[in-house]
Amino acid sequence: VTAITENGWLHGANMVFKSKKNSGDYHGQMNADIFQKWFVEMILPNVPKKSLIILDNASYHKTLAPTSTPTNSSKKADIRLWLEANKVPCADDCLKAELIELLKKLAPEPTYLIDELASQQGHEVLRTPPYHPELQPIELCWGVIKNHVARNSNFTMSNLLHQLEQAFEKVTANTCSKTIKKIKKNEEAFWIEDAKLDSDE
């Protein structure tokens, strides 16, 4: 787990940990507790002042803040509690789907714990749309790392750790700067396409 800036890897943000699961998908190794610990201890102390922190929509990025309104995936009891606390009448035999419809009409957008932690220190969190890895500059950096490790693997843990160190060095400040510029062009292309679609309607 790490982060990039236009000047290269964010200093102090590198965390390598050994998985305890065999889920077949590396995303399954991360959870909200590990992510929040990394975010609080290694990101927030090291990012420049008033940073814009870009995240994707992984579930572990979206733990609800204690004060947040519930979401569709919240427990039925939690949705009912919020509705009752906000004086929204609902029958005792309401189905969860019915409670969710009321929630959609009345509830403000949910707030996330990570966003609140960042905001307390003067930063803002922005999430890219779901299923758009092409808007995440770090994905290209991970590609460089994975390719290096794959080409030099002998399937031992000691070699993996050694190759990881070398792979991280292959991603320079120049790599990150170019990558971020490329992503900005992708974003601009999406905006232009959206504008065209709007004008066609």
Side-chain angles (χ1 to χ4, degrees):
V1 190
T2 192
I4 62 167
T5 72
E6 287 184 325
N7 300 316
W9 297 113
L10 178 64
H11 177 72
N14 235 13
M15 181 178 73
V16 177
F17 66 98
K18 188 174 178 181
S19 166
K20 294 181 179 177
K21 287 186 190 176
N22 183 16
S23 66
D25 175 5
Y26 66 91
H27 289 103
Q29 318 312 317
M30 179 58 76
N31 61 44
D33 290 338
I34 295 172
F35 179 79
Q36 286 164 25
K37 181 176 172 60
W38 170 76
F39 191 82
V40 169
E41 295 179 5
M42 302 177 84
I43 289 293
L44 293 180
N46 293 309
V47 292
K49 290 181 179 179
K50 296 185 179 178
S51 285
L52 179 62
I53 301 169
I54 311 292
L55 299 174
D56 64 17
N57 277 272
S59 59
Y60 46 80
H61 294 162
K62 297 170 70 176
T63 300
L64 292 178
T67 55
S68 176
T69 56
T71 65
N72 297 356
S73 58
S74 297
K75 293 178 182 175
K76 179 180 177 182
D78 291 338
I79 297 173
R80 179 180 287 282
L81 275 175
W82 186 88
L83 291 169
E84 288 173 352
N86 285 274
K87 313 224 181 308
V88 179
C90 42
D92 291 340
D93 60 351
C94 268
L95 300 173
K96 183 177 179 181
E98 294 172 307
L99 297 178
I100 287 172
E101 282 305 309
L102 289 170
L103 191 68
K104 282 181 185 174
K105 291 176 186 173
L106 302 166
E109 287 294 310
T111 52
Y112 302 111
L113 180 58
I114 290 299
D115 301 46
E116 287 194 352
L117 293 170
S119 178
Q120 287 164 10
Q121 298 199 27
H123 310 300
E124 183 182 354
V125 172
L126 179 67
R127 287 175 177 77
T128 52
Y131 312 112
H132 280 285
E134 71 276 18
L135 295 178
Q136 283 290 340
I138 201 167
E139 292 295 338
L140 296 172
C141 299
W142 285 128
V144 172
I145 290 172
K146 290 175 190 175
N147 285 337
H148 174 85
V149 171
R151 283 195 302 270
N152 297 281
S153 174
N154 70 1
F155 303 100
T156 66
M157 185 59 68
S158 59
N159 181 61
L160 171 61
L161 292 171
H162 173 69
Q163 295 303 336
L164 271 175
E165 283 183 27
Q166 294 195 337
F168 275 109
E169 290 175 9
K170 289 185 174 292
V171 178
T172 64
N174 189 44
T175 308
C176 294
S177 177
K178 284 183 175 178
T179 299
I180 289 170
K181 283 177 184 172
K182 181 177 180 181
I183 297 301
K184 285 180 178 177
K185 285 183 181 177
N186 288 346
E187 290 172 355
E188 287 166 10
F190 278 124
W191 282 116
I192 290 167
E193 189 63 30
D194 280 352
K196 284 181 183 174
L197 289 170
D198 280 347
S199 63
D200 290 342
E201 288 180 0

